[in-house]
Amino acid sequence: MWRLLAGFVLLVCAADATPVLDAKFVPEFGKMYHVKGELSLPLSEIKESFEAWFDLEGNRSRIDYHKGTVRTFLFGSALDYGVIYKITPVTTETEIQAIKCFQLNGTKEDPIRPQAALPDLQGFEFEKMENLADVLCEVWKKVTQAGHKKNTYRLWVTRSVGKGSTAIPHRFEMEGYNTLLESHNDKYTIDYSDFSPQTESDVFIPPLGMTCIEFPDPVEERQILANPIQDYVSTSPVSHAHRLFGPFKEKFSRQYESDKEQEERENYFIHSQRFVHSRNRAGLTYSVGINHFADRSKAELARMTGGLLIPDKERDATDSPQTFI
Ligand SMILES: *[C@@H]1O[C@H](CO)[C@@H](O)[C@H](O)[C@H]1NC(C)=O
Ligand SMILES: *[C@@H]1O[C@H](CO)[C@@H](O)[C@H](O)[C@H]1NC(C)=O
């Protein structure tokens, strides 16, 4: 079936003598969709699968991680400024994999909106046609620059055939280049599959009868915990993870010798953040956390630990995070 479909898409593109003409219209994914994806963080050797439902008019979205082990429900119309529920297994000193519900209320300044699992294509430009796993795709590109960070985002799409022109996403990729360090120091990819332009309304019903508690401190981290995919599909050069670097430096009294070191340390910190949160979403029986090693490189860490990842229990208790979600 998939081969057939891929063949058909190819045929459609090939039959059109001027595919670039079509490509002038920025792809749109519509106001409602279901899609699966796999997030790859090549620099941390992490792959994470998710499944997402988006319903803009219903003002709601849901994203599950790791085959539904972790579920996030966002409701824009609930309470005054919307609400997020996250249902996740939690392991603490007294309980293993206990299913808990966490709640984040929107505020006037930060209202909760349904979370898209696909990037907003505002500002993207058509770059080229390219084969991706035997499917001829349009590639759309956007470049952002903030400080020394130059990010290039690319999205591979095909078009659905028939009424309307809903696009079908295949891959989204971010490549970061640091102009001060002159290095390609950031990259991640989301591979999409199973896109369909509809959802069922019962997927948006969170489990009943759970008592939901507040997300743990620090406050700055709550957005990342409550809505993990936001930083990845956004094309804003300053992510929530970047905003945690200031509080981190303060907490561990960091003073770096040069702008260059600062950029390097921030970059390691971002990778640590992503690694830690991704590992914790995997529902491991122990948790990894952000501690005072978060701004070190892999090579530095390997020298310090002999290459072993240390579970929190064995770390100095004062450095252990309060976060296990
Ligand atoms: C979603 O809910 C918010 C808050 O109630 C509201 O301001 C917004 O207009 C709603 N959006 C839609 C598309 O209904
Ligand atoms: C979120 O809103 C609910 C319902 O209004 C309220 O019971 C709860 O205390 C609020 N949580 C926080 C952290 O403000």
Side-chain angles (χ1 to χ4, degrees), residues 79 103 105 214:
L79 306 183
Q103 171 171 0
N105 295 350
E214 238 183 290

Side-chain angles (χ1 to χ4, degrees), residues 27-300:
E28 275 186 38
F29 299 113
K31 291 180 175 164
M32 188 191 271
Y33 57 79
H34 162 262
V35 72
K36 290 183 181 174
E38 184 177 66
L39 170 68
S40 307
L41 308 178
L43 303 177
S44 310
E45 292 161 28
I46 275 189
K47 280 183 189 278
E48 187 173 356
S49 65
F50 64 86
E51 180 165 11
W53 297 263
F54 181 71
D55 175 11
L56 187 64
E57 283 180 350
N59 226 339
R60 57 198 176 169
S61 65
R62 167 176 165 188
I63 303 181
D64 289 5
Y65 300 86
H66 302 287
K67 298 194 188 330
T69 311
V70 174
R71 287 166 287 166
T72 54
F73 296 86
L74 283 78
F75 299 103
S77 310
L79 306 183
D80 290 337
Y81 302 104
V83 63
I84 305 181
Y85 299 106
K86 178 175 179 177
I87 314 228
T88 180
V90 175
T91 295
T92 62
E93 283 177 5
T94 52
E95 287 176 301
I96 292 180
Q97 306 274 65
I99 305 297
K100 303 268 182 204
C101 174
F102 294 86
Q103 171 171 0
L104 180 69
N105 295 350
T107 59
K108 196 169 181 194
E109 294 71 36
D110 268 318
I112 307 291
R113 292 281 176 260
Q115 176 61 49
L118 297 162
D120 176 357
L121 290 179
Q122 279 272 326
F124 276 70
E125 284 179 8
F126 178 75
E127 183 186 26
K128 59 186 174 185
M129 301 298 291
E130 188 175 86
N131 267 311
L132 186 72
D134 278 343
V135 180
L136 186 61
C137 293
E138 294 169 19
V139 184
W140 287 76
K141 178 180 159 184
K142 177 177 178 179
V143 180
T144 63
Q145 174 119 31
H148 301 293
K149 294 173 199 57
K150 186 175 169 191
N151 293 348
T152 304
Y153 301 89
R154 282 194 177 85
L155 184 80
W156 283 255
V157 297
T158 49
R159 310 275 178 164
S160 63
V161 194
K163 268 214 297 191
S165 67
T166 314
I168 300 169
H170 293 263
R171 174 178 289 175
F172 180 55
E173 182 186 88
M174 188 283 246
E175 270 181 313
Y177 180 78
N178 190 295
T179 51
L180 183 66
L181 305 174
E182 299 184 330
S183 76
H184 288 97
N185 56 1
D186 200 2
K187 184 170 177 170
Y188 61 80
T189 308
I190 302 176
D191 283 298
Y192 291 105
S193 63
D194 299 85
F195 178 85
S196 74
Q198 63 224 7
T199 62
E200 312 267 317
S201 54
D202 57 0
V203 303
F204 296 104
I205 304 169
L208 294 172
M210 292 191 83
T211 306
C212 300
I213 55 175
E214 238 183 290
F215 279 93
D217 286 335
V219 172
E220 295 91 350
E221 205 170 353
R222 287 186 188 158
Q223 277 291 334
I224 299 178
L225 294 169
N227 189 8
I229 210 170
Q230 191 177 25
D231 270 359
Y232 292 106
V233 295
S234 153
T235 53
S236 150
V238 183
S239 67
H240 288 93
H242 284 97
R243 279 179 227 153
L244 285 174
F245 189 52
F248 166 84
K249 283 189 295 184
E250 214 162 281
K251 181 169 175 198
F252 296 110
S253 315
R254 284 292 197 267
Q255 274 169 0
Y256 302 121
E257 283 176 11
S258 60
D259 280 2
K260 209 169 158 206
E261 191 190 359
Q262 157 102 3
E263 291 289 320
E264 263 165 6
R265 296 292 168 199
E266 183 179 25
N267 191 245
Y268 296 139
F269 179 79
I270 299 300
H271 293 305
S272 302
Q273 279 280 336
R274 291 192 194 138
F275 174 79
V276 162
H277 286 115
S278 182
R279 288 299 283 260
N280 288 344
R281 282 192 293 278
L284 301 176
T285 48
Y286 66 85
S287 287
V288 287
I290 292 294
N291 60 16
H292 68 273
F293 297 133
D295 63 346
R296 305 296 166 88
S297 72
K298 267 195 200 168
E300 286 172 309

